[in-house]
Amino acid sequence: MNEIINKKVFFRHLGTIEYKEAWDYQTEIFNKIIAAKIENRELSEKTPTENYLFFCEHPHVYTLGKSGSKENLLASPEMLNKRHATFYEINRGGDITYHGPGQIVGYPILDLDNFFTDIHKYMRSMEEAVIRTLQEYNIEAGRIAGMTGVWLDAQNPGSARKICAFGVKTSRWVTMHGFAFNVNTDLSYFGNIIPCGISDKAVTSLNLELGYMLDMKEVEDKLLQHLADIFDMEIVK
């Protein structure tokens, strides 16, 4: 049997897109890749499975992962409407988080058989791409044991604050959902939730840490390059 490893990743920036539209689009591609893997099982000559990576921004939205608690949403439907925000219960791991303008939301839809079949390594690799991006702005970031995400002052419980959240779904080593990196994000929207179900840690943004508004494309380009390097991807635009 001829196994073909494909490290090409089709990259597309979706711009500002409603959350549900992006979720449906991800799901369509996710299911297509899984179907191709199932079909490959019956073939003596395998065909390469595809990989995708999307960046986008969303209008104000709160999403609750399947392992989360709805009690971590502190806003009433009336308050959500007043703040022009929507709410979805979705099929990724993790608890509740916020997406909005000024945030880089990344959706890797990868067949990990093309890279490595290790979910822990996958999560740490995505975190590492964000950590390296922050280093380019002279910001030292890291991880907190037992807590997925990228944190500043990670070793200081009193001042630790999250700058990037992660939540994924996998099936047959195919991934969907991904990460939310606060760049120029309006952090007041996090006041309507207990972010990721963690009540004793703050959230932050690149803008807040540096004291000026960032060029979103500049940050996206740096992040994309680090993802490509860490995963040994061949980015196809």
Side-chain angles (χ1 to χ4, degrees):
M1 292 195 298
N2 182 24
E3 297 284 356
I4 301 176
I5 301 299
N6 176 30
K7 291 187 177 292
K8 290 183 178 180
V9 177
F10 294 105
F11 174 77
R12 183 181 171 195
H13 198 297
L14 303 178
T16 299
I17 182 173
E18 290 287 346
Y19 184 82
K20 183 63 164 59
E21 184 180 351
W23 186 14
D24 288 345
Y25 187 36
Q26 281 189 82
T27 301
E28 177 185 340
I29 293 171
F30 177 79
N31 289 339
K32 180 180 75 170
I33 295 171
I34 289 174
K37 293 192 76 169
I38 293 171
E39 185 177 355
N40 265 345
R41 291 169 58 185
E42 309 302 321
L43 300 174
S44 57
E45 292 294 320
K46 310 299 185 187
T47 57
T49 50
E50 294 180 334
N51 309 287
Y52 294 82
L53 173 60
F54 302 133
F55 282 179
C56 66
E57 293 181 59
H58 291 307
H60 305 296
V61 60
Y62 298 99
T63 66
L64 179 67
K66 60 186 180 182
S67 57
S69 169
K70 203 167 182 178
E71 293 179 359
N72 291 327
L73 174 64
L74 307 178
S76 65
E78 293 75 22
M79 188 182 298
L80 290 178
N81 186 58
K82 186 176 180 180
R83 300 216 69 183
H84 307 288
T86 52
F87 170 72
Y88 290 97
E89 295 183 57
I90 62 174
N91 60 347
R92 60 162 171 78
D95 207 290
I96 197 165
T97 196
Y98 160 77
H99 300 311
Q103 186 184 69
I104 300 173
V105 179
Y107 294 130
I109 310 175
L110 309 177
D111 179 3
L112 292 183
D113 274 318
N114 289 321
F115 300 95
F116 47 76
T117 51
D118 183 329
I119 296 301
H120 179 79
K121 182 178 178 181
Y122 174 63
M123 300 298 289
R124 304 295 81 77
S125 297
M126 287 198 295
E127 290 169 349
E128 184 64 24
V130 176
I131 289 169
R132 293 185 188 181
T133 301
L134 290 167
Q135 286 175 345
E136 296 207 45
Y137 294 94
N138 297 313
I139 292 178
E140 184 176 345
R143 303 174 180 87
I144 296 177
M147 292 185 178
T148 299
V150 174
W151 301 79
L152 307 191
D153 282 345
Q155 305 308 315
N156 186 343
S159 59
R161 52 211 183 275
K162 182 182 279 191
I163 197 165
C164 189
F166 297 80
V168 303
K169 170 184 169 65
T170 63
S171 178
R172 297 179 185 268
W173 295 114
V174 180
T175 69
M176 66 178 288
H177 299 294
F179 60 85
F181 179 17
N182 297 329
V183 180
N184 295 322
T185 314
D186 180 350
L187 299 177
S188 71
Y189 278 82
F190 284 96
N192 293 324
I193 60 173
I194 300 175
C196 303
I198 303 168
S199 59
D200 63 342
K201 299 284 190 296
V203 293
T204 191
S205 67
L206 199 49
N207 162 239
L208 180 63
E209 297 297 325
L210 295 177
Y212 60 86
M213 297 293 283
L214 282 297
D215 180 319
M216 290 291 289
K217 187 176 187 308
E218 176 189 277
V219 182
E220 289 165 351
D221 287 347
K222 292 179 187 297
L223 178 58
L224 180 61
Q225 186 59 58
H226 287 304
L227 285 166
D229 291 345
I230 290 166
F231 282 87
D232 191 25
M233 296 173 172
E234 179 186 343
I235 299 294
V236 179
K237 296 185 179 181

